[in-house]
Amino acid sequence: MARSKKPPTTHKASLFRIRTPEGPDLDLHTVVSEHYLSREGFKAVPFDHDGLQGLLVTGTVARGRSAWCEVAESLTGLTAHEENRTAAGLLLVRTRRSVYALTYGMGHLMIESSRLDSGFGLEFAIRCLDENSITLVRHHLMDARGRTDENTATRGEHIRGFGIERFGDIVSKITGTVSGITLTYTQDGNRSARITGSDNSVKLPLARTPAELLSDLNAIEDICDQPEPLPGFDLVARVRSLKGRGKTELVRRLDGKLDEMLATPDAPRMALSAPSECLDRFGFADTFTISKGTKTEAVEELELDHILAFVRDLPAGSRLKTLKDMRVQMFGDQAADEPISRKVPAHRWLTAEVVEGAAHYFYWQGVWYEVGEEYLSAIEDGIQELLDRPTKVVLPPWPKGNGKDEGWYNEQAAKQPGYTLFDKKTVRTKKFKGGGLEICDILGPEGQLIHVKKADKSTADLNHLFAQGRVSIETLRYDADVRQKFLTRLAETRSGDSFMEALSAPTVVFAILLKGGKPITVDSLFAFAQVSLLQAATALQGMGATVEVVAITR
């Protein structure tokens, strides 16, 4: 006789925590987007069932005939008429402490975005996940590159095996297993649950009966109440996005402060930074256009002031909104006939920092981020340690004037006794064809690889500088063909000079001219440039190189 299968006691759902500044007794209808409350075919019904109270919102979106039907008919001569129908369910549930949303299908779209509690999913995950059983991590580098990585491990591994950078990495999603917590799914102690925590939600198995669901939610609240994440997850907890909070009071206040900064000439905590989608072609741009309505201005080299000039004199409260409506586009020619990017909203070209007491917030790629005080202190301490290192490299001032570009400056600096010009003297191999690889701009008297950059227009300039230093050492270390050709060229320019010893433990010098020739300090080096510098220094030190920073004066 076949044994009857027991009905499941849990169901996997996406769980959101709702922001309730007015308290958990709020009218739950205010959590639902007005569009769905009034949409035909949707209904919102309050319930009180076996101790569970809340609001159930359900409906189906019928989008009519699928777009591919016309293509199929054209190709086959046959009739095709199929519809896309999408069901959506949103279950809002009260506990004594908060309000939660369980979503099914496309139900998450029905939540008013400003009600989502940003950080909830990761807050829960890093307090209960087994650090040795992580299967997926999505993280983003908070620098000018805007790079996103998503790495998976089928069998699960330690969180530190996923390549999360020590500085400037934002984790937005993490998947792994939990056990030993009082969820309905794991209460028998014989199985673990797989959960996925993202910025504002967690996907996990939850109970199917009222009493047990309330028990699960209480267990989740107890975990979130733990003051610190579990050991190993400190890398995840340091930076969090405010994106999921919508137009909360905090985001509105930060937007207001940024709006004020847009009217301030030479604001010290604001800079130009190329959006991630523009970085690959940024170095090839000969012209940039800035458009506001029917007005368009073309410039050869984009500077922050070019963008701010459009909004600086506008009334308070309208500047940031105007930037979001403006567009910046890159062209590969001076006539602006050959576009090499789409028209990107102008506000995405800005980075800014706002300090409120111990809290630090960063505007990057059009989104606000909150950075923990301890993490910020670690960044500043790392930068200070780099700046305090002694250096034997001495470089002349860089005067203003037409034609006095980086090429001109490198030639002048290399005229000093013991210095050799390597700017534009590229090494070409089968791997580095075309433009070849530039090992450094100037070679110092003791074999220092000096990389020079005038960085008064964009944080992307410094990011390029640090990447150049990193690539040159990686290539010299691992590419025998490049190393041999570089040594041959060195022998041609510095007869009798042995570089082999210096090459085994190289010194990389980042020589930087900041705007106005001001000194390089923790305060003068913009936050995102600090992150890029520390990432490069960490990688270079791991390859046996010493990193030094030299400020070029005017």
Side-chain angles (χ1 to χ4, degrees):
M1 181 177 178
R3 299 175 61 183
S4 59
K5 189 175 181 180
K6 291 184 178 180
T9 58
T10 61
H11 177 77
K12 203 154 196 177
S14 293
L15 181 70
F16 299 79
R17 189 167 63 194
I18 302 301
R19 295 185 63 255
T20 56
E22 63 271 67
D25 293 331
L26 80 163
D27 179 359
L28 294 181
H29 290 82
T30 63
V31 178
V32 186
S33 172
E34 178 63 32
H35 172 72
Y36 289 97
L37 287 175
S38 58
R39 183 165 184 160
E40 184 179 355
F42 280 72
K43 58 183 179 180
V45 182
F47 67 89
D48 187 342
H49 179 58
D50 288 348
L52 191 68
Q53 296 180 341
L55 182 72
L56 176 63
V57 189
T58 59
T60 298
V61 178
R63 302 187 183 277
R65 188 183 184 218
S66 296
W68 57 264
C69 292
E70 184 178 348
V71 179
E73 288 182 349
S74 175
L75 292 172
T76 66
L78 302 175
T79 300
H81 189 92
E82 304 297 338
E83 287 191 354
N84 284 324
R85 297 176 63 85
T86 304
L90 170 62
L91 178 62
L92 297 172
V93 178
R94 302 183 197 271
T95 68
R96 286 177 295 176
R97 288 183 274 183
S98 192
V99 172
Y100 294 89
L102 286 75
T103 65
Y104 310 97
M106 301 301 289
H108 61 282
L109 298 178
M110 293 192 283
I111 305 173
E112 184 64 44
S113 61
S114 63
R115 288 290 188 175
L116 294 172
D117 191 347
S118 177
F120 161 65
L122 291 174
E123 175 187 325
F124 172 73
I126 63 178
R127 285 165 171 77
C128 63
L129 282 172
D130 179 354
E131 65 185 74
N132 293 298
S133 300
I134 306 302
T135 57
L136 180 146
V137 173
R138 179 186 296 163
H139 52 115
H140 319 262
L141 278 175
M142 191 175 64
D143 65 9
R145 287 169 289 179
R147 192 185 78 203
T148 297
D149 292 329
E150 183 168 298
N151 303 312
T152 59
T154 306
R155 295 179 178 272
E157 62 178 77
H158 195 281
I159 179 64
R160 296 193 183 278
F162 283 84
I164 301 175
E165 296 273 4
R166 183 184 175 196
F167 297 106
D169 232 350
I170 302 167
V171 175
S172 62
K173 185 177 182 180
I174 186 169
T175 299
T177 59
V178 297
S179 58
I181 60 177
T182 55
L183 292 174
T184 301
Y185 187 87
T186 59
Q187 63 184 0
D188 61 7
N190 295 323
R191 60 178 177 176
S192 57
R194 174 166 293 189
I195 71 166
T196 296
S198 57
D199 184 48
N200 50 32
S201 70
V202 57
K203 193 168 187 177
L204 77 171
L206 292 170
R208 299 165 67 104
T209 64
E212 290 179 324
L213 176 60
L214 285 172
S215 176
D216 285 350
L217 294 178
N218 286 330
I220 290 169
E221 289 177 334
D222 289 342
I223 289 170
C224 290
D225 284 343
Q226 296 174 11
E228 299 293 335
L230 293 174
F233 290 99
D234 56 311
L235 292 174
V236 180
R238 301 169 307 182
V239 181
R240 65 172 185 158
S241 161
L242 305 185
K243 185 176 181 180
R245 296 189 180 186
K247 284 295 181 182
T248 64
E249 179 57 36
L250 173 60
V251 172
R252 280 193 290 268
R253 188 168 70 249
L254 294 173
D255 281 352
K257 293 199 172 187
L258 178 55
D259 192 86
E260 292 175 10
M261 293 168 67
L262 295 174
T264 306
D266 298 321
R269 292 295 179 181
M270 186 165 56
L272 185 74
S273 179
S276 56
E277 63 193 278
C278 297
L279 281 170
D280 289 342
R281 306 293 292 170
F282 185 78
F284 298 96
D286 282 341
T287 306
F288 299 82
T289 61
I290 309 164
S291 303
K292 176 189 173 187
T294 58
K295 179 183 177 183
T296 298
E297 179 182 332
V299 296
E300 290 186 6
E301 291 190 52
L302 185 65
E303 299 186 25
L304 179 61
D305 196 61
H306 290 140
I307 295 176
L308 299 187
F310 280 76
V311 300
R312 182 173 289 132
D313 297 328
L314 294 179
S318 66
R319 304 179 191 106
L320 181 57
K321 181 181 182 302
T322 301
L323 275 187
K324 292 180 179 181
D325 293 333
M326 288 169 51
R327 296 293 183 266
V328 176
Q329 188 171 21
M330 304 191 303
F331 294 84
D333 66 314
Q334 292 186 347
D337 292 328
E338 302 173 8
I340 56 175
S341 78
R342 73 178 183 93
K343 294 181 179 179
V344 180
H347 75 111
R348 297 193 66 240
W349 289 80
L350 295 181
T351 60
E353 178 183 359
V354 171
V355 180
E356 290 190 342
H360 284 246
Y361 302 96
F362 295 95
Y363 194 74
W364 176 71
Q365 304 279 325
V367 177
W368 284 106
Y369 290 85
E370 182 178 0
V371 179
E373 184 178 8
E374 292 183 1
Y375 177 51
L376 193 69
S377 296
I379 292 177
E380 293 176 347
D381 290 346
I383 291 295
Q384 192 62 56
E385 191 275 327
L386 282 174
L387 299 180
D388 288 343
R389 292 180 183 177
T391 180
K392 296 182 180 179
V393 169
V394 178
L395 295 174
W398 190 331
K400 291 184 178 181
N402 293 332
K404 293 181 172 58
D405 57 9
E406 287 180 15
W408 176 89
Y409 179 80
N410 289 333
E411 290 178 1
Q412 303 307 308
K415 291 179 181 179
Q416 300 179 112
Y419 291 77
T420 305
L421 181 66
F422 267 83
D423 184 22
K424 300 182 178 65
K425 295 181 180 179
T426 56
V427 175
R428 291 178 174 82
T429 65
K430 290 182 180 179
K431 180 179 179 182
F432 294 98
K433 303 183 277 190
L437 175 69
E438 191 175 274
I439 299 298
C440 63
D441 292 316
I442 305 168
L443 196 70
E446 296 184 7
Q448 300 98 327
L449 299 173
I450 305 171
H451 300 271
V452 176
K453 184 61 65 177
K454 179 183 179 183
D456 60 355
K457 297 187 179 80
S458 168
T459 56
D461 293 333
L462 287 177
N463 189 75
H464 176 77
L465 174 71
F466 304 143
Q468 182 186 20
R470 181 172 177 171
V471 169
S472 67
I473 295 299
E474 285 178 344
T475 308
L476 286 173
R477 184 181 177 91
Y478 300 115
D479 192 319
D481 193 12
V482 169
R483 185 166 58 250
Q484 184 56 51
K485 288 193 174 184
F486 178 65
L487 290 173
T488 300
R489 174 156 289 176
L490 182 68
E492 295 171 354
T493 56
R494 306 241 321 231
S495 57
D497 188 13
S498 174
F499 187 60
M500 290 304 295
E501 185 176 347
L503 190 62
S504 64
T507 297
V508 175
V509 178
F510 294 122
I512 302 168
L513 173 66
L514 292 180
K515 190 171 184 178
K518 57 186 175 184
I520 299 175
T521 66
V522 170
D523 292 328
S524 65
L525 199 58
F526 193 61
F528 298 113
Q530 293 183 23
V531 168
S532 293
L533 175 54
L534 287 173
Q535 288 169 348
T538 300
L540 287 165
Q541 289 163 6
M543 291 183 281
T546 299
V547 176
E548 297 174 0
V549 179
V550 172
I552 302 174
T553 61
R554 274 296 187 191

